[in-house]
């Protein structure tokens, strides 16, 4: 997100929001409609979430893709978006939304009102790792596939590669959880076995030095444009904040 607004869930399931990069939090709702959502790149109060099940649980019935315009208090189903899961909005044009139904990618140019299939994915269903949080480099998308294949999203003018070099050999593909790109030119990857990093032009991943995160299950990483040198890391033991080099 390009603002100091963040969202988080408390242990009791309540949804909280901060507008000052985590210094203080306020309650949004005690009964959130969705548990996972993305924040619009243009307005932190516009959210996209889904009630669709995980792609690695094919028996789960499909749900709806929803949009909130008041920071998660009220959600409205979007037309023609059954069984879609939101992935990201474009910083260059926040009305551009990318979503997936686990077998194809879908693109909306009008904030989710209409959708068109943009790229078929190889394999059915789409591997769970491909639903990782996407990392934005400028106005381009670097897709965290976690495998050695090249992924191109021509509709977004994207052609990027990530590979498994340097990852622990016993780390399964579905153990790659979240990716963020920092202004220091470094990619940060949250995994079931800890936090790893690499520069875009480096050949291999490496564990972030100590910080108490080695071999600790890390679920999400987040950087904000308002504080680009602070990396938020959500782990099984709580939330960490790492200060990156200028």
């Amino acid at each position: 997100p390009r603002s100091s607004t963040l969202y988080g869930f408390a242990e009791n399931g309540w949804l909280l929001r901060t507008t000052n990069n985590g210094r203080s939090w306020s309650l949004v709702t005690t009964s959130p409609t969705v548990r996972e959502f993305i924040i619009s790149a243009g307005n932190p109060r516009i959210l996209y979430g889904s009630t669709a099940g995980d792609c690695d649980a094919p028996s789960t019935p499909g749900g709806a893709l929803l949009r909130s315009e008041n920071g998660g208090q009220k959600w409205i189903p979007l037309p023609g978006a059954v069984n879609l899961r939101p992935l990201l909005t474009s910083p260059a044009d926040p009305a551009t939304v990318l979503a997936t139904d686990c077998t194809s990618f879908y693109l909306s140019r009008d904030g989710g009102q209409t959708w068109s299939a943009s790229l078929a994915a190889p394999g059915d269903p789409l591997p769970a790792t491909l639903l990782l949080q996407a990392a934005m480099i400028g106005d381009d998308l670097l897709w965290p596939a976690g495998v050695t294949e090249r992924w191109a999203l021509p509709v977004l003018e994207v052609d990027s590669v990530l590979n498994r070099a340097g990852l622990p050999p016993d780390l399964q593909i579905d153990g790659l959880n979240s990716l963020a790109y920092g202004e220091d030119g470094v990619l940060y990857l949250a995994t079931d076995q800890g936090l790893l990093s690499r520069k875009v032009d480096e050949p291999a991943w490496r564990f972030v030095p100590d910080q108490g995160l080695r071999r600790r299950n890390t679920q999400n990483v987040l950087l904000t444009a308002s504080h680009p040198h602070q990396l938020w890391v959500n782990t099984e033991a709580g939330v960490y904040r790492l200060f990156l080099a200028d």
Side-chain angles (χ1 to χ4, degrees):
R2 298 189 171 189
S3 76
S4 56
T5 297
L6 304 171
Y7 294 83
F9 288 97
E11 289 186 353
N12 58 7
W14 294 3
L15 178 62
L16 307 176
R17 178 175 59 236
T18 174
T19 58
N20 54 21
N21 211 55
R23 290 193 295 273
S24 61
W25 295 81
S26 60
L27 177 67
V28 176
T29 176
T30 59
S31 55
T33 302
V34 298
R35 293 289 302 178
E36 295 184 3
F37 53 83
I38 63 170
I39 304 172
S40 169
N43 184 342
R45 295 185 67 84
I46 295 179
L47 312 174
Y48 296 90
S50 177
T51 57
D54 293 336
C55 287
D56 54 1
S59 60
T60 303
L65 195 153
L66 313 173
R67 173 181 164 124
S68 173
E69 297 184 353
N70 58 7
Q73 293 178 323
K74 181 180 179 180
W75 294 84
I76 301 173
L78 292 172
V82 176
N83 202 36
L84 293 187
R85 300 146 180 84
L87 296 173
L88 61 93
T89 67
S90 170
D93 179 12
T96 296
V97 187
L98 186 68
T100 183
D101 65 354
C102 301
T103 59
S104 298
F105 299 109
Y106 289 79
L107 189 70
S108 173
R109 297 286 191 184
D110 53 14
Q113 298 305 307
T114 59
W115 297 87
S116 60
S118 61
L119 179 70
D124 183 14
L126 188 66
T129 183
L130 300 183
L131 299 184
L132 294 172
Q133 174 183 323
M136 303 300 298
I137 298 180
D139 290 332
D140 295 325
L141 163 67
L142 181 64
W143 188 255
V147 292
T148 57
E149 301 153 350
R150 178 177 291 272
W151 280 83
L153 298 182
V155 71
L156 295 181
E157 299 179 354
V158 172
D159 190 3
S160 302
V161 176
L162 284 179
N163 60 59
R164 292 183 61 88
L167 295 180
D170 59 336
L171 182 62
Q172 300 299 311
I173 287 180
D174 60 3
L176 309 178
N177 301 322
S178 179
L179 185 78
Y181 175 74
E183 290 191 0
D184 55 356
V186 177
L187 289 160
Y188 296 91
L189 179 66
T191 78
D192 285 354
Q193 296 189 23
L195 180 66
L196 295 100
S197 68
R198 59 169 278 210
K199 291 187 176 180
V200 174
D201 57 355
E202 287 181 339
W205 295 94
R206 63 191 67 182
F207 281 102
V208 171
D210 200 9
Q211 305 289 352
L213 298 175
R214 182 69 182 266
R215 295 294 175 180
R216 174 162 287 170
N217 188 321
T218 56
Q219 291 300 311
N220 298 99
V221 286
L222 177 67
L223 285 158
T224 65
S226 59
H227 291 74
H229 301 294
Q230 297 179 21
L231 179 69
W232 295 84
V233 186
N234 185 24
T235 78
E236 59 187 356
V239 177
Y240 289 75
R241 184 171 56 172
L242 305 185
F243 293 90
L244 311 178
D246 293 340

